[in-house]
């Protein structure tokens, strides 16, 4: 598995996890738990741009990934 493929999978997994956490936040009846899930989702959303930036860097540096 190439670095590019691993990064793409990591990004997809992180996006999926963020969505799942948002759904859990909406479905729970406990405000504290909802806040916890929302907070975790936001942290993942903050990380995603850095992962995507790294993926773009890999694509720019390695012509075979273009």
């Amino acid at each position: 598995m190439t670095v590019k493929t691993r990064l793409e999978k990591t990004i997809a997994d992180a996006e999926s996890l963020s969505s799942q956490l948002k759904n859990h936040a909406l479905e729970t009846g406990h405000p504290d738990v909802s806040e916890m899930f929302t907070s975790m989702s936001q942290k993942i959303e903050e990380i995603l741009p850095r992962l995507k930036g790294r993926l773009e860097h890999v694509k720019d540096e390695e012509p075979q990934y273009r």
Side-chain angles (χ1 to χ4, degrees):
M1 186 179 277
T2 66
V3 172
K4 176 186 171 277
T5 304
R6 283 185 281 166
L7 279 169
E8 289 170 338
K9 182 174 180 346
T10 300
I11 290 167
D13 289 347
E15 289 171 339
S16 176
L17 178 58
S18 178
S19 294
Q20 291 174 27
L21 289 167
K22 287 176 186 176
N23 285 337
H24 288 311
L26 295 173
E27 292 172 354
T28 186
H30 302 287
D32 290 342
V33 175
S34 178
E35 185 178 321
M36 178 188 69
F37 284 135
T38 300
S39 175
M40 287 189 286
S41 176
Q42 289 170 343
K43 287 177 184 175
I44 293 169
E45 293 291 328
E46 291 170 6
I47 292 168
L48 277 167
R50 290 188 286 177
L51 288 170
K52 290 177 180 179
R54 180 65 185 150
L55 178 59
E56 289 305 312
H57 176 76
V58 167
K59 287 180 181 178
D60 289 343
E61 292 294 315
E62 302 293 336
Q64 71 267 23
Y65 296 141
R66 290 184 193 155

